[in-house]
Amino acid sequence: MKDAKGFLSTGAAVFAVLAWVSLALQLVVGLAVLVMGGPPVPIGGAEIPARLIGLLNFIAAAIYWFLFMFISKLTRVLLEVHAQVTKSSA
């Protein structure tokens, strides 16, 4: 059981790091596209301005950060619940 706890603890740390890396990269890319612009992007038959794609990248950055941090925190809560259950049953 110790291996499972170590794996979950490592997984929680990995998701926390992924959250911050994803946020940083997407904000940089979104800012670059927002500032530099570019040709319109065809999406679903419509031409979307590149600067709007930059703004959408900011929204995606927030969503990905939230999801990765949620997974990390949820895993840590489950580990704490398991520790409490194990402690109270002993």
Side-chain angles (χ1 to χ4, degrees):
M1 186 54 96
K2 186 172 181 152
D3 291 334
K5 286 190 279 186
F7 177 74
L8 287 175
S9 179
T10 302
V14 166
F15 274 109
V17 169
L18 278 176
W20 290 107
V21 169
S22 170
L23 181 70
L25 288 177
Q26 286 205 303
L27 287 178
V28 167
V29 170
L31 186 63
V33 171
L34 188 63
V35 169
M36 290 189 282
V41 180
I43 298 177
E47 297 288 323
I48 308 296
R51 293 181 195 265
L52 181 60
I53 299 298
L55 289 176
L56 292 175
N57 214 344
F58 288 152
I59 294 169
I63 291 171
Y64 282 125
W65 179 85
F66 176 78
L67 288 175
F68 286 145
M69 286 304 283
F70 181 77
I71 291 170
S72 174
K73 298 294 183 182
L74 184 64
T75 304
R76 291 190 190 278
V77 166
L78 289 174
L79 283 169
E80 289 177 17
V81 167
H82 180 269
Q84 288 295 326
V85 168
T86 304
K87 187 171 102 176
S88 66
S89 68

